[in-house]
Amino acid sequence: MILRNYAIGIDIGTTSTKVVLFDEKGAAVAHHSKNYPLLSEEAGAAEQKPDEIYEAVNESLRETVRKSGDLAERIGFISFSTAMHSLIAVDAEGKPLTNSITWADIRSEPYVAAYKSDYGGDAVELYKRTGVPQHPMTPLFKLQWLKNERPDIFKKAEKFVGIKDYILFRWFNEWKTDHASAAATGLWNLRTKTWDEEALKLADVTPEKLPDLQPTTYYWENLSDILAKKSGLDSSVKVVIGATDGPLSNLGVGAISPGDVAVTIGTSGAIRTTSTSPILDTEGRSFCYPLTENHWVSGGPVNNGGIAFQWIHDLLQKEDESVAYEKLSKDAEQIQPGAEGLVFLPYLTGERAPLWDAQAKASFLGLTLRHNQNHMVRAVLEGAILNLFSVYSLIKSQVGKSEVKIFATGGFTNSSLWKQILADVFQTKVSIPEHTESSCLGAVLLGRFAIGETKKLEEAPVETKQYEEIIPNPDYKNVYKDLFQLYQSLSDTMQTQYKALHDFQNKHKKESGE
């Protein structure tokens, strides 16, 4: 009898799909990825073609199986991860009437602003039921936009689904979505684990217009013969519905116990902590999504991570070389923590957590004649970390542990200075996991729990290895404590001016004919 102890994790990301084959110890043995474009054919749009992503999933799966060689017969299951907040309108046959409208699409911003203005305190009550801050990323407001701006499509749509729902429908001819993906829509009630009646009324949809709800541990027993033949897998391979990329990344890096914190900084960023029950912010500034019924991931996504470093790099260094980034970091290391009072609010592309303000603007504050470009670079790197710390400060009092563990992933780990700033601001040891495909591994670990190979999620058959640990410098504790208080105060003050800045920029851009 063949021991089927290998498994595949599929992560449907914003810019690519990644498929990774893992052995029973969590080591990656084969992988393939396929990129696809993000389309922006009008202001604020960020869409993708669902069928391109479907083909990317199938191609990446087929190629990964091919690369696995004889190991393919030892694959027991496939488990899914997906980017959150996508929305696709489909007709009665399941054919897309729209592109996949991604989390980055902000065309529903006017509807978010109108809701907050009209409903006031009800907005916080909606957050308490759904765990999702009001923002253009959420399908709740995308549906309002679609109803008003594309009424013919809205009326014609048989269902409104996410990108993973669409892939699995193409595989199994069933409309199902997992609780984690449903939670990210802003339409799911985290207490009842059903579609929220008030949210559905706001979106003007009924439960019949949405996929059937399933726990993240739900799985199909077999592949279809056609899919098995196309992929090169045995038809007995199971398919676990899985969850979303953020919660699964926590699981993949080992940040699964209460008090563990996962920090990711790529182009954007996020900070997430795990708990045994939902953690909500009293003012609705952090998210809360399920991983399983007994594991909840709270925190916040930020728009401005590596994109801030890229901006200052492009501003100061014209050549597009990695060595230029290294030089900027090395030069900025000569500047003392706090950048001699130069503070950078990193809202270059608006901001999600903790502001949830698409009109937010970036700014340098405290600039004097003694500051040079090295001060500016250090302030930018510090600003990105201080912003993440401000998100963590929303939930840390409810974590239940005075001592936390930080697991960090993303492109920022290539900068020794940036990693050190993270440790120094948090005054906590930072662990850098050995592997990089944390969402794919998280999907596989959830899959092993789903099909009964492990009895508890915490008893995953793999201990995430760390290849580097960053120790905080205690000498910088007070300076960063003071700097964070200053950062918070300046951010609060500037937030009152963002709408005026936004209006001014738009008005005079139009007047200048741009």
Side-chain angles (χ1 to χ4, degrees):
M1 181 178 177
I2 297 173
L3 183 62
R4 296 186 175 276
N5 55 351
Y6 282 63
I8 285 177
I10 299 179
D11 179 38
I12 307 168
T14 304
T15 57
S16 68
T17 284
K18 299 168 185 165
V19 177
V20 184
L21 173 65
F22 295 96
D23 66 15
E24 72 277 12
K25 296 181 180 179
V29 295
H31 64 88
H32 189 82
S33 64
K34 177 76 172 180
N35 295 335
Y36 30 77
L38 194 64
L39 309 174
S40 184
E41 297 179 354
E42 62 179 279
E47 300 181 340
Q48 293 169 326
K49 294 186 179 299
D51 289 333
E52 282 190 9
I53 298 176
Y54 174 71
E55 293 302 330
V57 169
N58 287 341
E59 177 185 326
S60 297
L61 175 61
R62 183 173 60 251
E63 286 300 303
T64 301
V65 173
R66 184 186 64 80
K67 292 175 182 178
S68 68
D70 294 340
L71 294 175
E73 64 182 10
R74 296 178 62 183
I75 297 171
F77 67 88
I78 297 167
S79 186
F80 274 89
S81 164
T82 185
M84 291 180 260
H85 313 299
S86 58
L87 179 71
I88 309 167
V90 298
D91 65 16
E93 295 180 352
K95 295 180 179 178
L97 299 172
T98 66
N99 284 332
S100 177
I101 306 172
T102 72
W103 66 267
D105 193 296
I106 60 170
R107 286 174 291 179
S108 64
E109 179 189 349
Y111 299 93
V112 178
Y115 175 75
K116 290 181 177 179
S117 175
D118 293 345
Y119 287 86
D122 287 347
V124 175
E125 291 304 312
L126 175 63
Y127 164 78
K128 289 179 180 178
R129 296 197 309 275
T130 64
V132 185
Q134 286 89 51
H135 187 269
M137 69 181 184
T138 54
L140 165 58
F141 294 103
K142 289 183 172 77
L143 286 166
Q144 288 191 349
W145 174 83
L146 197 65
K147 177 185 175 183
N148 288 278
E149 308 295 335
R150 306 288 190 273
D152 292 344
I153 292 176
F154 188 86
K155 290 177 183 177
K156 186 178 179 181
E158 180 71 14
K159 285 189 182 291
F160 300 101
V161 303
I163 186 60
K164 182 169 73 170
D165 311 332
Y166 178 71
I167 303 300
L168 291 171
F169 173 79
R170 294 285 302 271
W171 278 18
F172 296 104
N173 200 35
E174 297 175 344
W175 287 117
K176 296 184 185 296
T177 194
D178 65 273
H179 286 170
S181 297
T185 66
L187 300 166
W188 186 77
N189 189 303
L190 53 77
R191 304 296 179 186
T192 64
K193 298 182 176 63
T194 60
W195 297 116
D196 184 80
E197 292 182 8
E198 294 301 316
L200 294 183
K201 288 178 183 177
L202 286 170
D204 197 19
V205 296
T206 61
E208 291 73 27
K209 291 281 189 180
L210 302 170
D212 294 335
L213 293 165
Q214 301 293 339
T216 58
T217 51
Y218 177 86
Y219 63 91
W220 288 267
E221 285 282 359
N222 302 100
L223 292 173
S224 68
D225 290 338
I226 293 175
L227 184 58
K229 185 176 181 180
K230 284 184 177 180
S231 64
L233 291 167
D234 189 274
S235 60
S236 64
V237 169
K238 298 177 175 62
V239 177
V240 180
I241 196 168
T244 50
D245 52 3
L248 286 172
S249 181
N250 269 52
L251 178 57
V253 300
I256 190 62
S257 299
D260 291 349
V261 175
V263 173
T264 302
I265 304 179
T267 301
S268 56
I271 183 166
R272 303 174 301 270
T273 188
T274 309
S275 58
T276 56
S277 60
I279 294 178
L280 297 171
D281 173 54
T282 55
E283 298 179 36
R285 296 166 294 176
S286 60
F287 63 63
C288 184
Y289 301 132
L291 178 54
T292 71
E293 290 186 358
N294 300 311
H295 300 85
W296 297 78
V297 175
S298 304
V302 300
N303 286 359
N304 302 283
I307 197 170
F309 196 13
Q310 180 182 340
W311 170 76
I312 197 70
H313 162 271
D314 293 347
L315 196 66
L316 302 176
Q317 301 282 346
K318 300 306 178 184
E319 66 273 21
D320 184 19
E321 299 176 3
S322 59
V323 66
Y325 284 94
E326 294 175 11
K327 184 178 186 305
L328 285 178
S329 290
K330 289 293 183 183
D331 291 345
E333 284 182 18
Q334 311 308 312
I335 306 301
Q336 288 297 305
E340 294 190 62
L342 182 60
V343 179
F344 182 66
L345 303 182
Y347 313 132
L348 290 162
T349 60
E351 191 51 279
R352 286 180 288 169
L355 304 184
W356 299 103
D357 186 349
Q359 297 181 351
K361 311 298 177 189
S363 53
F364 282 105
L365 297 163
L367 196 60
T368 69
L369 287 173
R370 73 173 179 273
H371 292 117
N372 58 36
Q373 70 175 37
N374 296 336
H375 291 87
M376 295 174 71
V377 173
R378 177 152 200 136
V380 165
L381 300 183
E382 289 179 336
I385 300 300
L386 290 166
N387 193 44
L388 283 167
F389 191 72
S390 69
V391 179
Y392 179 64
S393 69
L394 303 178
I395 56 174
K396 67 177 181 179
S397 63
Q398 302 178 58
V399 167
K401 277 190 175 182
S402 57
E403 185 175 337
V404 302
K405 295 179 180 179
I406 294 180
F407 301 83
T409 58
F412 92 110
T413 58
N414 293 321
S415 167
S416 58
L417 174 59
W418 217 351
K419 289 183 291 189
Q420 189 63 53
I421 291 172
L422 174 64
D424 292 342
V425 168
F426 279 75
Q427 279 296 299
T428 302
K429 181 176 67 176
V430 174
S431 295
I432 313 294
E434 184 177 43
H435 61 83
T436 58
E437 303 302 341
S438 56
S439 293
C440 284
L441 178 57
V444 165
L445 297 180
L446 177 63
R448 294 197 185 282
F449 173 68
I451 68 174
E453 287 187 6
T454 53
K455 299 302 181 184
K456 292 183 179 181
L457 205 58
E458 293 83 357
E459 296 175 357
V462 54
E463 181 178 347
T464 303
K465 296 179 181 179
Q466 315 301 322
Y467 73 79
E468 185 179 11
E469 291 186 335
I470 313 299
I471 307 300
N473 188 332
D475 294 340
Y476 299 154
K477 179 177 180 179
N478 288 333
V479 68
Y480 278 124
K481 179 180 178 180
D482 293 343
L483 182 62
F484 178 66
Q485 291 176 348
L486 178 60
Y487 176 93
Q488 287 282 77
S489 176
L490 292 171
S491 179
D492 291 345
T493 299
M494 286 301 299
Q495 197 167 3
T496 64
Q497 303 302 317
Y498 290 143
K499 186 179 186 305
L501 284 166
H502 181 79
D503 292 345
F504 178 87
Q505 290 174 351
N506 281 351
K507 176 183 177 181
H508 292 284
K509 182 186 296 184
K510 292 176 183 176
E511 289 179 353
S512 64
E514 294 181 20

